[in-house]
């Protein structure tokens, strides 16, 4: 089955700097890669996702890149702000017709701290 | 649009007791998921419903966990009897439909934090 590795486990940056979180996946059939932000005491919130037919997607200060050949994808946050501090999870999913149920397999998370 | 609702938000029980969690998905979402999130880890799928039918329960410890989704809307997850290792946050998520290509977006509720003493 699918396995998702996420690095680093913790990341501390100064306000205004960029932050990069990387994930690798094992199943070449995976075709959907969402990123979730989880604040303390709350459920994960989708911040951006990418599907396997594109290599990059941007939404204001957040971007995700996907390298299908190398089976890795990354989250890039520019001009970080203190409110970006949270735990970020990457996930991967295979399509239902691929034999799985289209379920999300999550990485272990990255705790991002943005210092003012 | 209202999000995924869950209750209770917190629950403390002793081992061998039973507990139940409730979830109300986003209106119109056919697919409902229950995840277990142990401290310091990502969510792990327990069970997936499509309307009121089970799509995947391969990761559900069926000797103690059960779930149902009557009428294809609300869902309850039950643990009986609870063990110390069941201490975790139980998250409910819903999506419009999962059985299409590509996978549809999942929206999560706030979760129920369970502590088993």
């Amino acid at each position: 089955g699918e396995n998702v590795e996420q690095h680093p486990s913790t990341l501390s940056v100064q306000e205004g700097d960029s932050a990069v979180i990387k994930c690798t996946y094992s199943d070449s059939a995976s075709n959907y890669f969402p990123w979730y932000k989880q604040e303390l005491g709350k459920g994960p919130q989708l911040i951006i996702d990418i599907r396997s037919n594109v290599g990059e997607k941007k939404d204001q200060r957040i971007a995700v890149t996907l390298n299908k050949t190398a089976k890795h994808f990354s989250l890039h946050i520019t001009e970080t702000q203190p409110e970006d501090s949270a735990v970020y999870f990457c996930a991967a999913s295979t399509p239902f017709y691929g034999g799985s149920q289209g379920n999300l397999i999550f990485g272990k998370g990255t705790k991002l701290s943005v210092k003012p | 649009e209202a999000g995924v609702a869950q209750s209770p938000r917190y629950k403390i029980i002793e081992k061998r007791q039973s507990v139940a969690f409730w979830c109300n998905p986003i209106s119109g979402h056919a697919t409902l998921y229950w995840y277990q999130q142990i401290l310091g880890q990502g969510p792990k799928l327990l069970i997936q419903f499509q309307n009121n039918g089970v799509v995947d329960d391969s990761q559900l410890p069926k000797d103690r966990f059960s779930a149902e989704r009557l009428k294809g809307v609300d869902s309850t997850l039950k643990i009986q009897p609870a063990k110390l290792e069941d201490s975790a946050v139980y998250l409910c998520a819903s999506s419009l439909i999962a059985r299409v290509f590509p996978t549809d977006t999942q929206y999560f509720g706030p979760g129920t934090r369970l502590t088993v003493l």
Side-chain angles (χ1 to χ4, degrees):
Chain A
E2 175 68 281
N3 183 51
V4 176
E5 300 282 342
Q6 183 172 347
H7 299 279
S9 56
T10 59
L11 180 59
S12 182
V13 299
Q14 287 295 131
E15 182 177 359
D17 287 351
S18 294
V20 180
I21 303 170
K22 299 182 179 181
C23 289
T24 60
Y25 61 98
S26 60
D27 191 339
S28 57
S30 289
N31 68 338
Y32 175 62
F33 308 92
W35 286 88
Y36 284 86
K37 175 183 180 182
Q38 188 172 28
E39 297 175 313
L40 200 61
K42 297 184 178 180
Q45 179 187 11
L46 180 73
I47 56 171
I48 195 168
D49 57 12
I50 192 168
R51 304 186 191 273
S52 59
N53 57 342
V54 298
E56 184 175 0
K57 184 177 179 181
K58 285 181 106 172
D59 183 4
Q60 298 182 336
R61 296 185 297 110
I62 294 173
V64 58
T65 59
L66 171 65
N67 183 326
K68 288 197 301 180
T69 303
K71 289 190 281 188
H72 67 70
F73 55 112
S74 301
L75 177 71
H76 304 254
I77 306 174
T78 58
E79 301 172 22
T80 54
Q81 301 166 3
E83 51 265 40
D84 294 330
S85 296
V87 179
Y88 291 80
F89 291 96
C90 63
S93 176
T94 53
F96 176 75
Y97 64 80
S100 73
Q101 303 299 327
N103 296 328
L104 292 177
I105 305 299
F106 285 83
K108 290 190 173 182
T110 296
K111 183 175 182 181
L112 174 64
S113 300
V114 181
K115 298 181 179 179
Chain B
E1 179 183 79
V4 177
Q6 290 189 247
S7 67
R9 292 297 313 278
Y10 306 92
K11 191 74 177 178
I12 301 174
I13 62 173
E14 296 194 349
K15 59 183 179 183
R16 291 188 289 273
Q17 287 187 323
S18 63
V19 64
F21 313 125
W22 173 82
C23 172
N24 182 251
I26 294 172
S27 178
H29 280 198
T31 308
L32 184 147
Y33 312 79
W34 282 102
Y35 288 86
Q36 180 192 60
Q37 185 177 25
I38 292 173
L39 188 65
Q41 297 184 20
K44 186 188 84 170
L45 181 72
L46 291 175
I47 188 167
Q48 177 187 352
F49 291 93
Q50 181 84 5
N51 296 307
N52 60 349
V54 175
V55 173
D56 184 359
D57 63 357
S58 58
Q59 300 294 311
L60 188 73
K62 299 180 187 64
D63 57 334
R64 298 183 301 106
F65 287 65
S66 64
E68 61 181 9
R69 190 183 184 198
L70 300 176
K71 301 181 181 178
V73 182
D74 294 6
S75 176
T76 54
L77 176 69
K78 297 179 182 178
I79 308 176
Q80 182 179 12
K83 292 186 175 181
L84 296 177
E85 58 261 36
D86 297 332
S87 293
V89 174
Y90 290 85
L91 295 162
C92 179
S94 69
S95 65
L96 200 55
I97 188 166
R99 289 195 174 197
V100 295
F101 175 82
T103 305
D104 210 58
T105 302
Q106 296 185 28
Y107 299 89
F108 284 81
T112 297
R113 180 175 297 277
L114 173 67
T115 302
V116 182
L117 303 175

